[in-house]
Amino acid sequence: MGRSRQTPPAKKKIGLALAGGGPLGAMYEIGVLMALDEALEGLDLNGIDVYVGVSAGSFITAGLANQLTPAEIYRLFIENKATDKKTGALKPEVFLRPATREYWRSAKLVPGLAAKAIWDYVSRPLSGSLMGSFGILGKALPTGIFDNHAIREFLRRVFSEPGRTDDFRKLKHQLFSVATDLDTGESVRFGGPGFDHVPISKAVQASAALPGLFPPVRIGGRYYVDGALKKTLNASVALEAGAQLVLCVNPLVPFDANLAKSRAGASQQSHMKKLVEGGLPAVLAQTYRAVIHSRMHVSLANYVTQYKDADVVLFEPRSDDAEMFFTNIFSYATRRQVCEHAYQRTRQDLLKRHFELEPILEKYGITMNLDVLRDAKRTLDHGLFKRSRKLRREERLLSATLDLSDAISDLERWVAKTNTKIRVA
């Protein structure tokens, strides 16, 4: 009897879910991914089975699914270096171009709406109010300040490069970009059934269309806005797609001023202030973060019962992280600093949690490189240099392999000619 062959265990699916958070969130997520890419051996961030991106996170997941490495995304988004001469660099101005078409559309509405408001007030001066009549002019306000068509066009060029695609259906792995239907309030998963025909660049544009900042995006006669309006993380999308391990990154957490004050040194405590002293921006930032954070943790708690056999690992800033809270969410000037900050904090987090995380990650063939994590001198630039040097070694090895292949081909052709001559003779 022949020996029976054992069927190798099926590879366990891994998912990656990235939340939103504006440019600040994208910078933080890039730093986190650089740390994970460096410290987690056996994890290929370009070989994830299911990618889920929301708002700013959809930029990054779309890039990873298109085989842009974390280092390439860093150079593209943080260093503003082009991946290709035809693509050009991703400069901050791309995100800050005025929505001139939206302004023009609004301007054309003003005369008609103003005439209607005047007639409404004049025709019923006793029953109406001036403010009530002219409130109709609100319809002429632009639906967005900045133009997101430029963002879509940039992504379209990037995804048109050789080896990449702007088509969900042609990707090696599943990608979902989550947006919100403006008229129904429902979440829509671009890349899923019925929505996979939409270009990836267009889906990302819709997923990141933060109301008030960018105009809603029209797709197939419907309008879509930021996907974070409905859910913060959407890790459930990866779990429903069969992922058994989902790595999650959430860049925005509410700030705990009391905790920050207690952990700060005596020399720093005098600089700690009540958030109300930061004015309206600080109040709104804290409110927004508290809402999306509590909503996210409710969902994570539900996953424990809904997906008992799955593992969900979350990476996010600490609640006393003043740098993440007080940095302007739409600031590009601090992108290197924020990315380095996220990289270092994630390294610390991995080292601190390694007893908890190692048994989980090992089930999926992932190990933690503790030597890398304990290297206190390591910086993001150092990591990029190491990757570049490693890449050059790989390129030299590939070149040597190709040279050897050419030599073997030449030898085979010489032998074939020699054999032919012998047979002819």
Side-chain angles (χ1 to χ4, degrees):
M1 284 181 67
R3 184 179 298 176
S4 61
R5 293 183 179 180
Q6 287 186 336
T7 303
K11 179 181 176 295
K12 295 182 178 180
K13 275 190 174 184
I14 298 175
L16 177 69
L18 302 183
L24 176 68
M27 298 167 202
Y28 183 86
E29 288 173 338
I30 293 170
V32 172
L33 292 174
M34 292 289 283
L36 297 181
D37 186 45
E38 182 180 65
L40 301 185
E41 297 181 350
L43 175 68
D44 178 7
L45 289 172
N46 292 116
I48 297 289
D49 299 289
V50 188
Y51 297 93
V52 182
V54 184
S55 192
S58 64
F59 280 88
I60 302 171
T61 51
L64 291 171
N66 254 299
Q67 302 307 300
L68 279 167
T69 66
E72 287 174 323
I73 293 174
Y74 175 90
R75 295 189 182 98
L76 185 69
F77 194 84
I78 305 300
E79 293 185 340
N80 304 136
K81 292 183 179 178
T83 59
D84 184 88
K85 290 182 179 180
K86 295 180 181 179
T87 302
L90 179 59
K91 297 180 179 179
E93 300 86 73
V94 172
F95 298 90
L96 301 175
R97 293 180 184 176
T100 52
R101 282 180 289 186
E102 183 63 18
Y103 297 160
W104 178 242
R105 182 198 67 81
S106 298
K108 290 191 293 183
L109 293 175
V110 171
L113 291 174
K116 186 175 181 180
I118 293 170
W119 173 253
D120 182 77
Y121 179 70
V122 171
S123 62
R124 53 188 186 95
L126 298 179
S127 60
S129 67
L130 183 64
M131 291 299 295
S133 297
F134 279 85
I136 194 174
L137 286 173
K139 294 181 179 180
L141 291 174
T143 57
I145 300 172
F146 300 115
D147 182 14
N148 48 12
H149 287 280
I151 299 172
R152 188 263 168 117
E153 182 57 26
F154 177 84
L155 292 175
R156 188 194 64 78
R157 292 198 303 271
V158 171
F159 298 155
S160 297
E161 293 177 11
R164 298 174 190 149
T165 180
D166 201 22
D167 190 332
F168 283 100
R169 297 163 295 188
K170 294 181 180 179
L171 290 170
K172 294 180 181 178
H173 306 285
Q174 285 183 292
L175 169 67
F176 299 95
S177 292
V178 182
T180 304
D181 188 314
L182 182 62
D183 292 310
T184 65
E186 296 178 352
S187 287
V188 173
R189 304 172 182 179
F190 290 108
F195 295 95
D196 56 357
H197 65 285
V198 177
I200 297 172
S201 56
K202 189 80 170 180
V204 172
Q205 179 191 8
S207 179
L210 184 63
L213 195 66
F214 296 110
V217 177
R218 183 175 180 177
I219 300 176
R222 304 197 68 82
Y223 290 89
Y224 298 92
V225 293
D226 197 304
L229 296 187
K230 191 75 174 181
K231 277 188 176 182
T232 304
L233 199 55
N234 285 273
S236 59
V237 176
L239 292 167
E240 290 172 15
Q244 293 163 287
L245 169 67
V246 183
L247 303 175
C248 306
V249 184
N250 171 53
L252 301 183
V253 300
F255 183 63
D256 189 335
N258 291 334
L259 179 61
K261 186 174 181 179
S262 67
R263 287 182 175 175
S267 61
Q268 296 178 323
Q269 289 190 15
S270 60
H271 300 290
M272 302 302 295
K273 298 179 180 180
K274 295 289 186 183
L275 290 183
V276 70
E277 295 178 30
L280 183 61
V283 173
L284 291 178
Q286 181 75 329
T287 303
Y288 174 71
R289 290 166 185 249
V291 170
I292 65 170
H293 196 255
S294 61
R295 184 178 64 184
M296 181 192 70
H297 277 273
V298 168
S299 297
L300 291 177
N302 290 334
Y303 299 158
V304 175
T305 55
Q306 288 180 304
Y307 305 95
K308 295 180 180 179
D309 297 326
D311 295 295
V312 179
V313 178
L314 174 66
F315 297 95
E316 61 180 7
R318 295 188 329 199
S319 58
D320 65 335
D321 193 332
E323 183 164 346
M324 278 301 293
F325 182 81
F326 290 104
T327 299
N328 188 320
I329 194 173
F330 300 113
S331 172
Y332 295 91
T334 58
R335 56 188 179 274
R336 285 177 179 269
Q337 180 182 339
V338 169
C339 202
E340 178 70 38
H341 177 74
Y343 168 78
Q344 295 295 352
R345 286 299 177 94
T346 304
R347 282 165 43 79
Q348 295 168 14
D349 189 30
L350 285 168
L351 192 57
K352 183 179 178 180
R353 298 167 60 192
H354 81 271
F355 288 113
E356 165 205 344
L357 295 178
E358 280 183 317
I360 296 173
L361 298 175
E362 283 176 1
K363 293 189 293 183
Y364 304 91
I366 302 170
T367 58
M368 298 177 68
N369 190 328
L370 297 181
D371 290 334
V372 166
L373 293 174
R374 288 175 178 142
D375 183 359
K377 296 181 180 179
R378 189 175 289 266
T379 66
L380 196 49
D381 287 337
H382 176 77
L384 283 168
F385 171 75
K386 285 291 186 182
R387 284 184 190 81
S388 299
R389 189 166 65 182
K390 180 181 178 182
L391 181 61
R392 287 197 294 271
R393 286 201 303 267
E394 291 172 349
E395 288 173 345
R396 287 198 298 269
L397 178 61
L398 177 60
S399 177
T401 303
L402 291 175
D403 290 343
L404 178 61
S405 178
D406 290 341
I408 292 173
S409 296
D410 291 341
L411 179 61
E412 288 175 343
R413 285 194 293 272
W414 180 84
V415 170
K417 288 181 180 178
T418 303
N419 288 342
T420 302
K421 290 179 181 178
I422 291 174
R423 284 195 297 270
V424 171

